[in-house]
Amino acid sequence: MEGIVATMSDLFSALPEGYLPKWLLFTTTLGLFNTVQNYMTDSLTKRVYAGKPNEVSPLAARFFATWTMSVSMIRIYAAFHLEHKFMYDLGIWTYVIALSHYSLELFVFGGCKLNGPFMSPAIVAVSSLVWMTQQYNYYVKY
């Protein structure tokens, strides 16, 4: 147990200062949980896409899992390298893409409804975009 605590302490000490890098790691953790659950079942994904749950197949859930894992990997790198413009921009783009996807599903395709399972990722995307936009000049150095 001591080794795990030491490893976690080393991990967090390598992050840039502030809460934003920790937030990126937190949303990464949520994304990795979502990845695992999407590989195992499509039941939670059907709740997010409650407007058309019949269109959420096991294949669609696994595809969504792979997409979510890819985005999570970008956010991990961004969390540790926010001083680099390209990493900061990639981190922002992960939230832009997510918000675009959920907005299209809500307003255009009808796949989502305004319910708790939908609102969670939408709120994370919006708040992260606002936060990252506001903190851009604080973190980006190169």
Side-chain angles (χ1 to χ4, degrees):
M1 186 65 161
E2 235 176 79
I4 293 172
V5 171
T7 301
M8 293 304 291
S9 178
D10 290 345
L11 175 72
F12 282 106
S13 69
L15 285 171
E17 291 185 19
Y19 291 108
L20 182 59
K22 292 172 184 70
W23 174 255
L24 290 172
L25 287 183
F26 175 70
T27 62
T28 294
T29 303
L30 295 176
L32 293 175
F33 165 77
N34 187 265
T35 296
V36 170
Q37 74 86 23
N38 270 293
Y39 279 131
M40 298 175 70
T41 180
D42 60 9
S43 63
L44 294 177
T45 305
K46 286 183 178 189
R47 292 177 58 207
V48 173
Y49 298 96
K52 296 183 179 178
N54 57 316
E55 291 185 12
V56 177
S57 67
L59 175 62
R62 291 190 306 270
F63 181 76
F64 191 64
T66 303
W67 174 73
T68 303
M69 184 173 26
S70 300
V71 166
S72 294
M73 295 303 101
I74 292 169
R75 289 178 187 160
I76 286 174
Y77 278 93
F80 286 95
H81 302 285
L82 289 174
E83 71 276 10
H84 297 284
K85 180 184 181 336
F86 71 95
M87 285 309 309
Y88 203 97
D89 290 348
L90 282 173
I92 287 176
W93 276 109
T94 65
Y95 296 111
V96 168
I97 292 167
L99 184 59
S100 298
H101 168 73
Y102 289 116
S103 296
L104 286 168
E105 285 300 325
L106 180 65
F107 298 116
V108 177
F109 301 117
C112 293
K113 290 182 176 180
L114 287 174
N115 60 12
F118 166 79
M119 292 304 294
S120 295
I123 289 170
V124 166
V126 169
S127 60
S128 298
L129 273 171
V130 169
W131 193 359
M132 289 190 78
T133 301
Q134 290 177 338
Q135 294 295 303
Y136 193 88
N137 291 328
Y138 177 79
Y139 284 102
V140 175
K141 307 289 186 241
Y142 310 107

